[in-house]
């Protein structure tokens, strides 16, 4: 309890500084003096009259001087749109380095330019827009002061044109596609450039090298000559029509045909508050999850990819910690049809943020799963410079359902599950101190006592040191049916310390050790797990990295566990296991056409066994049109009888063909020996106009041995975005 009170007091003391770091960096934006055509030419009078942001600062390899590569940025606007033009001058001769024309590319593997925009000037939330040197677009929602959710997608246009000495990026962003506070004349703004040929990363307003370019704590200021135009009430209708066929070969039933229509709508209640509606949504075009080998005792986490749940979704999904998520949107509608839903989200003003979501699913007669309603409400209040206090309420309700009325042998579902919580998120003005303190309580039928959770962490990040502390408590009856909480009834303590060194010469850019101690106890503070991990990381000047590590692990099983996932036998609850492991990870330099990442580990395992894991990801790009990748993972387990010797592969080749920045073809295979499944997925996407698409998706699942088709599906989906 003393630790908790100390952390809270420390959090508030760190939050008091409100001075913005880069106030002196200002770019004045004036109304366009002429019409603008997005063509990469920059010959309009409006661009000649616009103020220039130049003299970028270097972030990498060192953050102590101006950038060597020149970048010039201009911005202007008219009544409907925000305009951006960027001249990216060459730092050295040679071809640009890009992966492909695929949208939302990897920042570090491409020559690119990105704008980070904070239209509320709260240094916490915003938008990001950019492109690589081949013209592939990059856009996302910004949250937590420096993170970007690339799953967000909206209407905007851009062109990239290459010249012998430079490449030009020109873009138009409709005011209706973003959210901003009406009447505000100062926005946070920064511009980031990644130039792989010179291995230089830079930004207009200086950002310390230990932070990402997207850090909103270090933005400059975009000063408007008058308040941005009020976009008014905007209604966007996004209907879809879908046709498809599905064949299950294992049951040998006739093919089933899909003929669906549905509708999404976006209503701008204000310039900063948005209402999203959906009726009969479909997410068949979303990429399937990347499979991983699971040798853990707990459920794996897979990220949300469905567009409806993403905008302003951080208010819901970022509440809590990676292992304590009271809300996890993938619990809604996966395997169960969603009938309709609504979400109201956005800013009430500079200090208050609101999110309310309600989703309704259908009844499933085959599993006796009742129709369910999901309601989530989040309210966030900014305090001091960049910190905030948040509240979250979650209610899952089974409608017209009584478990006592079920026939014998039928699976029972809970009538309701509710969660209520609050958290304090710390972010100091210079971002050196960050942290979170949280408390949650659940309400479920027949469960009381030990039904709450508490967690807190504090992290200090400077140029040379990264020191953090985190502790968690989850009661044995705490239940989050709409969340991701794979473990209950524990106390966790996790300190971590990292020290970095920066040689002035030689091949190394930085290097240093890291020590992490992860300790689990039961509710009576009896030890159940602990791992001591020591690693040494090296970053080379060409941006390739090498990390070597070693760990010692102790586990006392709380439940029976099959260490080989073979269903032959299980280790008994209460058994204790100790082992040591060594490993290494290497990532090649991103400038090469052929890139790769390798990892290896060897050491002990459960029941005095041995485990060898080898993994790698390999890629080759025929830039900018074709990118080929292969991921492979091999596990070899040597265990006592009855398990004995087990090994299995997980292999995933992938091909991306980007004919233009609006025409994409993706094909990949996932062979999972552990799950005895091979999946083939092909997706064609034609973005025939901004945010409007035609998708053709083909999927096969096979039994590897004997090789036979399990099921097959073909879906054609047409989506149209209409603003009215």
């Amino acid at each position: 309890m003393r630790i908790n009170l100390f952390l809270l007091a420390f959090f508030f003391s760190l939050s008091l500084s409100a001075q913005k770091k880069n106030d002196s960096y200002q770019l004045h934006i004036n109304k366009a003096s002429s019409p603008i055509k997005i063509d990469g030419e920059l010959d309009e009078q409006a661009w000649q009259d616009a103020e220039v942001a130049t003299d970028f600062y270097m972030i990498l390899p060192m953050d102590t001087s101006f950038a060597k590569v020149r970048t010039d940025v201009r911005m202007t606007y008219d009544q409907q749109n925000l305009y951006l033009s960027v001249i990216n001058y060459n730092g050295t001769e040679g071809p640009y380095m890009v992966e492909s024309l695929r949208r939302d590319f990897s920042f570090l593997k491409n020559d690119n330019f990105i704008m980070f925009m904070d239209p509320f000037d709260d240094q916490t939330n915003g938008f990001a827009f950019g492109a690589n040197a081949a013209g592939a677009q990059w856009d996302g929602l910004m949250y937590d002061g420096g993170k970007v959710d690339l799953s967000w997608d909206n209407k905007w246009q851009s062109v990239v044109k290459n010249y012998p000495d430079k490449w030009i990026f020109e873009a138009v962003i409709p005011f209706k596609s973003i959210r901003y506070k009406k009447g505000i004349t100062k926005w946070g703004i920064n511009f980031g450039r990644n130039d792989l040929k010179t291995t230089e990363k830079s930004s207009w307003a200086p950002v310390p090298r230990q932070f990402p370019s997207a850090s909103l704590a270090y933005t400059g200021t975009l000063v408007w000559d008058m308040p941005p135009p009020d976009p008014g009430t905007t209604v966007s209708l996004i209907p879809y029509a879908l046709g498809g066929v599905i064949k299950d070969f294992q049951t040998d039933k006739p093919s089933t045909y899909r003929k669906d229509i549905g509708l999404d709508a976006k209503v701008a209640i204000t310039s900063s508050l948005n209402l999203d509606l959906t009726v009969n949504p479909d997410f068949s075009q979303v990429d399937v999850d990347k499979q991983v080998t699971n040798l853990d005792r707990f459920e794996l986490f897979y990220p949300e990819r469905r567009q409806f749940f993403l905008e302003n979704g951080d208010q819901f999904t970022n509440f809590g910690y990676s292992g304590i998520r009271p809300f996890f949107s993938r619990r809604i509608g996966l395997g169960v049809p969603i009938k309709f839903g609504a979400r109201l989200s956005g800013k009430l003003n500079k200090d208050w943020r609101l999110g309310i979501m309600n989703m309704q699913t259908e009844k499933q007669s085959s599993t006796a799963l009742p129709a369910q309603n999901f309601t989530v409400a989040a309210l966030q209040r900014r305090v001091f410079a960049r910190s905030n206090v948040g509240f979250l309420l979650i209610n899952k309700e089974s409608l017209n359902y009584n478990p006592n009325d079920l026939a014998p042998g039928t699976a029972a579902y809970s009538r309701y599950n509710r969660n209520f919580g609050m958290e304090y998120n710390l972010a100091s003005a210079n971002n050196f101190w960050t942290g979170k303190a949280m408390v949650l309580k659940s309400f479920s039928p027949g469960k009381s006592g030990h039904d709450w959770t508490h967690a807190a962490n504090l992290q200090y990040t400077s140029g040379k040191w990264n020191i953090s502390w985190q502790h968690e408590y989850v009661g044995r009856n705490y239940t989050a049916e709409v969340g991701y909480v794979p473990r209950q009834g524990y106390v966790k303590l996790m300190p971590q310390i990292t020290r970095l060194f920066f040689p002035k010469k030689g091949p190394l850019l930085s290097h240093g050790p890291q020590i992490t101690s992860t300790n689990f106890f039961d509710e009576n503070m009896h030890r159940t797990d602990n791992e001591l991990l020591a690693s040494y990381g090296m970053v080379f000047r060409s941006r390739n990295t090498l990390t070597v590590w070693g760990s010692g692990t102790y586990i006392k099983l709380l439940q029976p566990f099959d260490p080989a996932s073979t269903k032959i036998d299980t280790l008994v609850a209460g058994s204790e296991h100790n082992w040591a492991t060594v490993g290494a990870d290497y990532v090649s330099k991103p400038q090469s056409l052929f890139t790769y990442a390798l990892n290896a580990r060897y050491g002990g395992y459960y029941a005095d066994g041995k485990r060898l894991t080898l993994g790698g990801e390999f890629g080759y790009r025929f830039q900018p049109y074709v990118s080929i990748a292969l991921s492979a993972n091999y596990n070899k387990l040597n265990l006592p009888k009855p398990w004995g010797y087990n090994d299995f592969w997980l292999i995933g080749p992938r091909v991306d063909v980007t004919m233009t920045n609006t025409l994409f073809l993706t094909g990949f295979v996932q062979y999972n020996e552990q799950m005895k499944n091979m999946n083939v997925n092909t997706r064609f996407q034609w973005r025939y106009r901004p945010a409007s698409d035609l998708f053709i998706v083909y999927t096969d699942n096979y039994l590897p041995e004997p090789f036979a088709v399990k099921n097959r599906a073909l879906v054609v989906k047409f989506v149209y975005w209409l603003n009215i």
Side-chain angles (χ1 to χ4, degrees), residues 405-666:
D405 296 336
L406 296 176
T410 304
Y413 301 93
S414 63
R415 289 188 293 110
Y416 65 86
N417 175 247
R418 298 172 186 132
N419 268 249
F420 176 74
M422 66 176 294
E423 67 178 18
Y424 176 73
N425 291 283
L426 164 73
S428 65
N430 61 7
N431 215 41
F432 276 49
W433 291 95
T434 56
K436 175 184 289 190
M438 173 200 71
V439 63
L440 287 160
K441 180 173 173 56
S442 67
F443 304 86
S444 299
K447 292 184 178 181
S448 61
H450 300 275
D451 54 2
W452 66 284
T453 179
H454 160 75
N457 83 298
L458 182 64
Q459 178 170 287
Y460 172 76
T461 304
S462 70
K464 296 180 179 179
W465 291 97
N466 187 304
I467 303 171
S468 67
W469 166 271
Q470 181 170 320
H471 67 264
E472 303 173 2
Y473 163 72
V474 178
R476 60 180 177 271
N477 288 327
Y478 174 74
T479 307
E481 293 183 9
V482 197
Y484 174 79
V485 186
R487 186 168 181 165
Q488 288 85 28
Y490 73 88
V491 175
K492 176 182 176 181
L493 306 176
M494 190 177 75
Q496 183 181 86
I497 183 169
T498 306
R499 173 67 162 92
L500 289 177
F501 302 92
F502 299 93
K504 293 184 178 180
K505 298 181 179 180
L508 283 177
L509 180 61
S510 66
H511 61 93
Q514 181 181 87
I515 298 176
T516 306
S517 178
T518 306
N519 308 274
F520 285 89
F521 306 85
D522 64 20
E523 291 179 282
N524 296 316
M525 293 304 294
H526 298 139
R527 186 181 67 157
T528 61
D529 306 62
N530 76 272
E531 179 183 64
L532 180 63
L533 174 67
S535 64
Y536 203 93
M538 290 162 274
V539 179
F540 296 86
R541 293 189 184 275
S542 56
R543 295 200 190 176
N544 48 321
T545 64
L546 173 65
T547 303
V548 293
W549 57 272
S551 67
T553 303
Y554 164 81
I555 290 178
K556 181 179 181 180
L557 290 175
L558 303 180
Q559 295 178 344
F561 175 62
D562 179 2
S565 300
T566 57
K567 300 181 180 179
I568 295 176
D569 200 358
T570 58
L571 298 169
V572 299
S575 59
E576 299 181 74
H577 307 268
N578 290 274
W579 65 79
T581 308
V582 294
D585 303 276
Y586 178 78
V587 179
S588 69
K589 62 182 183 180
Q591 299 93 326
S592 302
L593 294 178
F594 173 66
T595 58
Y596 56 93
L598 305 173
N599 63 81
R601 61 173 286 168
Y602 178 76
Y605 195 54
Y606 293 94
D608 295 322
K610 296 293 182 182
R611 174 185 174 184
L612 170 67
T613 299
L614 301 173
E617 294 190 5
F618 309 89
Y620 191 86
R621 51 195 181 196
F622 301 89
Q623 58 181 32
Y625 301 110
V626 180
S627 176
I628 301 173
L630 172 68
S631 62
N633 183 271
Y634 172 74
N635 276 275
K636 176 182 176 182
L637 304 178
N638 192 355
L639 292 163
K641 293 183 179 180
W643 299 280
Y645 171 85
N646 292 272
D647 68 336
F648 35 84
W649 284 91
L650 176 60
I651 302 175
R654 179 186 181 110
V655 177
D656 282 302
V657 180
T658 55
M659 292 153 272
T660 69
N661 63 355
T662 60
L663 205 60
F664 314 104
L665 177 64
T666 302

